[in-house]
Amino acid sequence: MTHVVCKPCLDCKYTDCVVVCPVGCFYEGERMLYIHPDECIDCEACVPECPVDAIFLADNVPEEWQEYIRINADMAPKCPKITEKKTPLCEQ
């Protein structure tokens, strides 16, 4: 199982979650972050760090955000890895 970054991260992009990830499975898109499903070890360290509650276990993604499971899987391999905290989009 993997964790998934969902819609609350869109145009927000807080990076508090990436600094606690022990395996570096976060990737930075232009408008949001993504979790690579093949790299996530389900440690859940990122979940409480997200200030907008955008990260869910894939089995627990709300119905209205189910498409984000595929979006994370598709986009993570296309984006650069992120491991350091940055200023979020919503504060720029």
Side-chain angles (χ1 to χ4, degrees), residues 10-65:
L10 188 65
D11 292 328
C12 181
K13 208 163 73 170
Y14 280 100
T15 54
D16 304 61
C17 53
V18 305
V19 297
V20 298
C21 181
V23 295
C25 67
F26 280 89
Y27 291 80
E28 184 178 17
E30 191 173 311
R31 297 178 62 202
M32 67 179 284
L33 302 176
Y34 305 101
I35 294 175
H36 197 300
D38 296 335
E39 297 175 4
C40 179
I41 60 170
D42 301 329
C43 70
E44 297 193 7
C46 58
V47 176
E49 298 303 315
C50 180
V52 294
D53 298 321
I55 304 172
F56 297 86
L57 187 63
D59 283 348
N60 297 333
V61 171
E63 186 65 37
E64 67 268 24
W65 297 332

Side-chain angles (χ1 to χ4, degrees), residues 75-92:
M75 293 301 297
K78 298 175 185 173
C79 296
K81 186 175 284 232
I82 179 171
T83 58
E84 296 181 3
K85 191 169 180 171
K86 294 183 177 182
T87 303
L89 286 177
C90 60
E91 293 180 10
Q92 292 181 3

